[in-house]
Amino acid sequence: MPTSACKTRHRMVPSGGLNLFVREAGERTQPAVLLLHGQPTSSHTFRNLMPLLAETAYLVAPDMPGFGFSDAPAMDRYEYSFENIANTFDVLIDVLGLERMFLYVHDYGAGVAYQLATRRPEQIGRAHV
């Protein structure tokens, strides 16, 4: 029987001067998985996956800046590069207290994930196949 932790929760999280929309599911005591969506989608992409994995993982699916319900500042106020989006997510990771995590990425999210993995290699889990 699924627990209430399997239900996806939504909230806005301040991160580097922006408000990011974040979907969460699972218990914080479980291994964390950061789900990074592709282009032109949002965290909505993961809406059906999250309840399925929530019994065994703590899932965090943010909308990237300019996508979904996250802030979309003008281009003269925010640089929409993989590096800068990763800067924003560095803050998000710290705000959420994610000490170790796995990355699950889809196309556009891969550029951000690469930046995060090279900055935080000790925090990113590795899958063994």
Side-chain angles (χ1 to χ4, degrees):
M1 186 70 153
T3 66
S4 62
C6 293
K7 183 175 169 130
T8 302
R9 304 170 302 278
H10 310 96
R11 65 179 169 138
M12 297 299 283
V13 179
S15 179
L18 300 179
N19 289 310
L20 299 180
F21 178 81
V22 176
R23 295 172 196 269
E24 298 170 285
E27 297 287 343
R28 293 186 60 84
T29 56
Q30 297 289 351
V33 180
L34 183 62
L35 302 132
L36 301 178
H37 65 81
Q39 175 11 348
T41 63
S42 68
S43 64
H44 188 258
T45 299
F46 304 114
R47 71 192 178 284
N48 294 326
L49 177 66
M50 293 178 77
L52 298 174
L53 299 179
E55 287 190 43
T56 58
Y58 170 56
L59 302 145
V60 177
D63 284 348
M64 290 190 213
F67 291 83
F69 297 113
S70 287
D71 285 351
M75 292 178 64
D76 62 344
R77 289 191 28 239
Y78 187 85
E79 180 185 339
Y80 287 91
S81 66
F82 294 136
E83 182 178 8
N84 198 46
I85 295 170
N87 292 341
T88 303
F89 280 8
D90 270 332
V91 176
L92 177 70
I93 289 166
D94 292 340
V95 167
L96 295 177
L98 301 178
E99 295 177 14
R100 291 200 37 81
M101 73 204 89
F102 293 93
L103 300 175
Y104 182 100
V105 303
H106 185 260
D107 66 50
Y108 191 81
V112 177
Y114 175 79
Q115 293 285 326
L116 294 173
T118 57
R119 296 174 188 190
R120 299 170 173 258
E122 70 287 344
Q123 289 180 267
I124 307 300
R126 292 161 181 82
H128 299 281
V129 259

